[in-house]
PDB file of all heavy atoms in Angstrom:
ATOM      1  N   ILE B 126     114.686 -69.172 189.212  1.00  0.00           N
ATOM      2  CA  ILE B 126     114.731 -69.966 187.916  1.00  0.00           C
ATOM      3  C   ILE B 126     116.116 -69.934 187.320  1.00  0.00           C
ATOM      4  O   ILE B 126     116.639 -70.991 186.961  1.00  0.00           O
ATOM      5  CB  ILE B 126     113.712 -69.131 186.906  1.00  0.00           C
ATOM      6  CG1 ILE B 126     112.418 -69.273 187.385  1.00  0.00           C
ATOM      7  CG2 ILE B 126     113.941 -69.710 185.511  1.00  0.00           C
ATOM      8  CD1 ILE B 126     111.293 -68.489 186.594  1.00  0.00           C
ATOM      9  N   GLU B 127     116.814 -68.774 187.475  1.00  0.00           N
ATOM     10  CA  GLU B 127     118.107 -68.814 186.951  1.00  0.00           C
ATOM     11  C   GLU B 127     119.133 -69.622 187.601  1.00  0.00           C
ATOM     12  O   GLU B 127     120.041 -70.269 187.135  1.00  0.00           O
ATOM     13  CB  GLU B 127     118.746 -67.264 186.803  1.00  0.00           C
ATOM     14  CG  GLU B 127     117.861 -66.306 185.991  1.00  0.00           C
ATOM     15  CD  GLU B 127     117.668 -66.810 184.618  1.00  0.00           C
ATOM     16  OE1 GLU B 127     118.441 -67.654 184.035  1.00  0.00           O
ATOM     17  OE2 GLU B 127     116.711 -66.268 184.029  1.00  0.00           O
ATOM     18  N   LEU B 128     118.988 -69.605 188.944  1.00  0.00           N
ATOM     19  CA  LEU B 128     119.717 -70.518 189.807  1.00  0.00           C
ATOM     20  C   LEU B 128     119.654 -71.990 189.524  1.00  0.00           C
ATOM     21  O   LEU B 128     120.618 -72.742 189.428  1.00  0.00           O
ATOM     22  CB  LEU B 128     119.515 -70.213 191.291  1.00  0.00           C
ATOM     23  CG  LEU B 128     120.260 -70.980 192.342  1.00  0.00           C
ATOM     24  CD1 LEU B 128     121.802 -70.591 192.198  1.00  0.00           C
ATOM     25  CD2 LEU B 128     119.862 -70.810 193.714  1.00  0.00           C
ATOM     26  N   PHE B 129     118.437 -72.514 189.243  1.00  0.00           N
ATOM     27  CA  PHE B 129     118.235 -73.829 189.002  1.00  0.00           C
ATOM     28  C   PHE B 129     118.134 -74.281 187.615  1.00  0.00           C
ATOM     29  O   PHE B 129     117.957 -75.427 187.270  1.00  0.00           O
ATOM     30  CB  PHE B 129     116.936 -74.273 189.843  1.00  0.00           C
ATOM     31  CG  PHE B 129     117.239 -74.534 191.264  1.00  0.00           C
ATOM     32  CD1 PHE B 129     116.876 -73.638 192.163  1.00  0.00           C
ATOM     33  CD2 PHE B 129     117.668 -75.835 191.676  1.00  0.00           C
ATOM     34  CE1 PHE B 129     117.170 -73.837 193.551  1.00  0.00           C
ATOM     35  CE2 PHE B 129     117.825 -76.140 192.942  1.00  0.00           C
ATOM     36  CZ  PHE B 129     117.707 -75.145 193.901  1.00  0.00           C
ATOM     37  N   GLY B 130     118.188 -73.249 186.684  1.00  0.00           N
ATOM     38  CA  GLY B 130     118.042 -73.671 185.238  1.00  0.00           C
ATOM     39  C   GLY B 130     119.176 -74.401 184.764  1.00  0.00           C
ATOM     40  O   GLY B 130     120.297 -74.456 185.400  1.00  0.00           O
ATOM     41  N   ALA B 131     119.007 -74.954 183.549  1.00  0.00           N
ATOM     42  CA  ALA B 131     120.104 -75.696 182.846  1.00  0.00           C
ATOM     43  C   ALA B 131     121.412 -74.824 182.692  1.00  0.00           C
ATOM     44  O   ALA B 131     122.495 -75.360 182.817  1.00  0.00           O
ATOM     45  CB  ALA B 131     119.589 -76.321 181.556  1.00  0.00           C
ATOM     46  N   GLY B 132     121.138 -73.500 182.402  1.00  0.00           N
ATOM     47  CA  GLY B 132     122.314 -72.620 182.117  1.00  0.00           C
ATOM     48  C   GLY B 132     122.772 -71.890 183.501  1.00  0.00           C
ATOM     49  O   GLY B 132     123.339 -70.945 183.370  1.00  0.00           O
ATOM     50  N   SER B 133     122.371 -72.512 184.618  1.00  0.00           N
ATOM     51  CA  SER B 133     122.722 -71.794 185.955  1.00  0.00           C
ATOM     52  C   SER B 133     124.148 -71.308 186.003  1.00  0.00           C
ATOM     53  O   SER B 133     125.020 -72.137 185.916  1.00  0.00           O
ATOM     54  CB  SER B 133     122.447 -72.774 187.110  1.00  0.00           C
ATOM     55  OG  SER B 133     122.991 -72.144 188.259  1.00  0.00           O
ATOM     56  N   PRO B 134     124.453 -70.131 186.097  1.00  0.00           N
ATOM     57  CA  PRO B 134     125.854 -69.568 186.149  1.00  0.00           C
ATOM     58  C   PRO B 134     126.518 -70.089 187.399  1.00  0.00           C
ATOM     59  O   PRO B 134     127.757 -70.021 187.412  1.00  0.00           O
ATOM     60  CB  PRO B 134     125.659 -68.072 186.009  1.00  0.00           C
ATOM     61  CG  PRO B 134     124.229 -67.709 186.366  1.00  0.00           C
ATOM     62  CD  PRO B 134     123.495 -69.025 186.067  1.00  0.00           C
ATOM     63  N   LEU B 136     125.434 -73.116 189.294  1.00  0.00           N
ATOM     64  CA  LEU B 136     125.496 -74.558 189.374  1.00  0.00           C
ATOM     65  C   LEU B 136     126.182 -75.334 188.270  1.00  0.00           C
ATOM     66  O   LEU B 136     126.846 -76.216 188.417  1.00  0.00           O
ATOM     67  CB  LEU B 136     123.997 -75.154 189.487  1.00  0.00           C
ATOM     68  CG  LEU B 136     123.403 -74.569 190.848  1.00  0.00           C
ATOM     69  CD1 LEU B 136     121.983 -75.286 190.975  1.00  0.00           C
ATOM     70  CD2 LEU B 136     124.199 -74.788 192.084  1.00  0.00           C
ATOM     71  N   ALA B 137     126.153 -74.624 187.062  1.00  0.00           N
ATOM     72  CA  ALA B 137     126.706 -75.269 185.792  1.00  0.00           C
ATOM     73  C   ALA B 137     128.234 -75.556 185.981  1.00  0.00           C
ATOM     74  O   ALA B 137     128.656 -76.714 185.810  1.00  0.00           O
ATOM     75  CB  ALA B 137     126.370 -74.500 184.599  1.00  0.00           C
ATOM     76  N   PRO B 138     128.963 -74.487 186.372  1.00  0.00           N
ATOM     77  CA  PRO B 138     130.393 -74.750 186.541  1.00  0.00           C
ATOM     78  C   PRO B 138     130.733 -75.859 187.618  1.00  0.00           C
ATOM     79  O   PRO B 138     131.778 -76.547 187.517  1.00  0.00           O
ATOM     80  CB  PRO B 138     130.915 -73.311 187.083  1.00  0.00           C
ATOM     81  CG  PRO B 138     129.975 -72.333 186.726  1.00  0.00           C
ATOM     82  CD  PRO B 138     128.667 -73.090 186.680  1.00  0.00           C
ATOM     83  N   LEU B 141     126.475 -79.223 188.734  1.00  0.00           N
ATOM     84  CA  LEU B 141     125.214 -79.532 189.528  1.00  0.00           C
ATOM     85  C   LEU B 141     123.994 -79.171 188.666  1.00  0.00           C
ATOM     86  O   LEU B 141     122.755 -79.510 189.121  1.00  0.00           O
ATOM     87  CB  LEU B 141     125.120 -78.894 190.786  1.00  0.00           C
ATOM     88  CG  LEU B 141     126.298 -79.388 191.790  1.00  0.00           C
ATOM     89  CD1 LEU B 141     126.290 -78.399 193.094  1.00  0.00           C
ATOM     90  CD2 LEU B 141     126.022 -80.831 192.185  1.00  0.00           C
ATOM     91  N   ALA B 142     124.112 -78.449 187.644  1.00  0.00           N
ATOM     92  CA  ALA B 142     122.834 -77.849 186.912  1.00  0.00           C
ATOM     93  C   ALA B 142     122.165 -79.055 186.204  1.00  0.00           C
ATOM     94  O   ALA B 142     122.890 -80.037 185.753  1.00  0.00           O
ATOM     95  CB  ALA B 142     123.240 -76.739 185.900  1.00  0.00           C
ATOM     96  N   PRO B 143     120.857 -78.932 185.902  1.00  0.00           N
ATOM     97  CA  PRO B 143     120.191 -80.045 185.223  1.00  0.00           C
ATOM     98  C   PRO B 143     120.776 -79.987 183.755  1.00  0.00           C
ATOM     99  O   PRO B 143     121.261 -78.992 183.243  1.00  0.00           O
ATOM    100  CB  PRO B 143     118.758 -79.665 185.134  1.00  0.00           C
ATOM    101  CG  PRO B 143     118.688 -78.341 185.882  1.00  0.00           C
ATOM    102  CD  PRO B 143     120.010 -77.914 186.502  1.00  0.00           C
ATOM    103  N   ALA B 144     120.598 -81.108 183.129  1.00  0.00           N
ATOM    104  CA  ALA B 144     121.133 -81.272 181.755  1.00  0.00           C
ATOM    105  C   ALA B 144     120.372 -80.237 180.780  1.00  0.00           C
ATOM    106  O   ALA B 144     119.203 -80.010 180.965  1.00  0.00           O
ATOM    107  CB  ALA B 144     120.929 -82.603 181.224  1.00  0.00           C
ATOM    108  N   ALA B 145     121.197 -79.745 179.767  1.00  0.00           N
ATOM    109  CA  ALA B 145     120.559 -78.796 178.911  1.00  0.00           C
ATOM    110  C   ALA B 145     119.451 -79.569 178.232  1.00  0.00           C
ATOM    111  O   ALA B 145     119.444 -80.688 177.778  1.00  0.00           O
ATOM    112  CB  ALA B 145     121.615 -78.391 177.928  1.00  0.00           C
ATOM    113  N   GLY B 146     118.390 -78.689 177.984  1.00  0.00           N
ATOM    114  CA  GLY B 146     117.251 -79.284 177.255  1.00  0.00           C
ATOM    115  C   GLY B 146     116.122 -79.862 178.187  1.00  0.00           C
ATOM    116  O   GLY B 146     115.033 -79.856 177.795  1.00  0.00           O
ATOM    117  N   THR B 147     116.536 -80.132 179.445  1.00  0.00           N
ATOM    118  CA  THR B 147     115.490 -80.626 180.345  1.00  0.00           C
ATOM    119  C   THR B 147     114.773 -79.300 181.012  1.00  0.00           C
ATOM    120  O   THR B 147     115.325 -78.183 180.982  1.00  0.00           O
ATOM    121  CB  THR B 147     116.003 -81.418 181.562  1.00  0.00           C
ATOM    122  OG1 THR B 147     117.051 -80.663 182.174  1.00  0.00           O
ATOM    123  CG2 THR B 147     116.556 -82.764 181.016  1.00  0.00           C
ATOM    124  N   THR B 148     113.503 -79.492 181.369  1.00  0.00           N
ATOM    125  CA  THR B 148     112.896 -78.406 182.022  1.00  0.00           C
ATOM    126  C   THR B 148     113.418 -78.130 183.351  1.00  0.00           C
ATOM    127  O   THR B 148     113.926 -78.904 184.054  1.00  0.00           O
ATOM    128  CB  THR B 148     111.280 -78.546 182.100  1.00  0.00           C
ATOM    129  OG1 THR B 148     111.196 -79.769 182.783  1.00  0.00           O
ATOM    130  CG2 THR B 148     110.677 -78.578 180.719  1.00  0.00           C
ATOM    131  N   ASN B 149     113.294 -76.891 183.653  1.00  0.00           N
ATOM    132  CA  ASN B 149     113.732 -76.329 184.980  1.00  0.00           C
ATOM    133  C   ASN B 149     112.880 -77.068 186.148  1.00  0.00           C
ATOM    134  O   ASN B 149     111.725 -77.234 186.023  1.00  0.00           O
ATOM    135  CB  ASN B 149     113.430 -74.845 185.116  1.00  0.00           C
ATOM    136  CG  ASN B 149     114.104 -74.314 186.256  1.00  0.00           C
ATOM    137  OD1 ASN B 149     114.085 -74.718 187.397  1.00  0.00           O
ATOM    138  ND2 ASN B 149     114.784 -73.211 186.005  1.00  0.00           N
ATOM    139  N   PRO B 150     113.650 -77.698 187.201  1.00  0.00           N
ATOM    140  CA  PRO B 150     112.927 -78.473 188.110  1.00  0.00           C
ATOM    141  C   PRO B 150     111.946 -77.629 188.956  1.00  0.00           C
ATOM    142  O   PRO B 150     111.176 -78.162 189.689  1.00  0.00           O
ATOM    143  CB  PRO B 150     114.075 -78.991 189.070  1.00  0.00           C
ATOM    144  CG  PRO B 150     115.204 -78.120 188.667  1.00  0.00           C
ATOM    145  CD  PRO B 150     115.089 -77.715 187.269  1.00  0.00           C
ATOM    146  N   GLY B 333     122.578 -69.292 177.667  1.00  0.00           N
ATOM    147  CA  GLY B 333     123.166 -70.408 177.269  1.00  0.00           C
ATOM    148  C   GLY B 333     124.716 -70.291 177.159  1.00  0.00           C
ATOM    149  O   GLY B 333     125.501 -71.141 177.141  1.00  0.00           O
TER     150      GLY B 333
END
Side-chain angles (χ1 to χ4, degrees):
Chain B
I126 291 173
E127 301 307 341
L128 179 64
F129 277 95
S133 168
L136 298 185
L141 293 174
T147 55
T148 51
N149 193 313

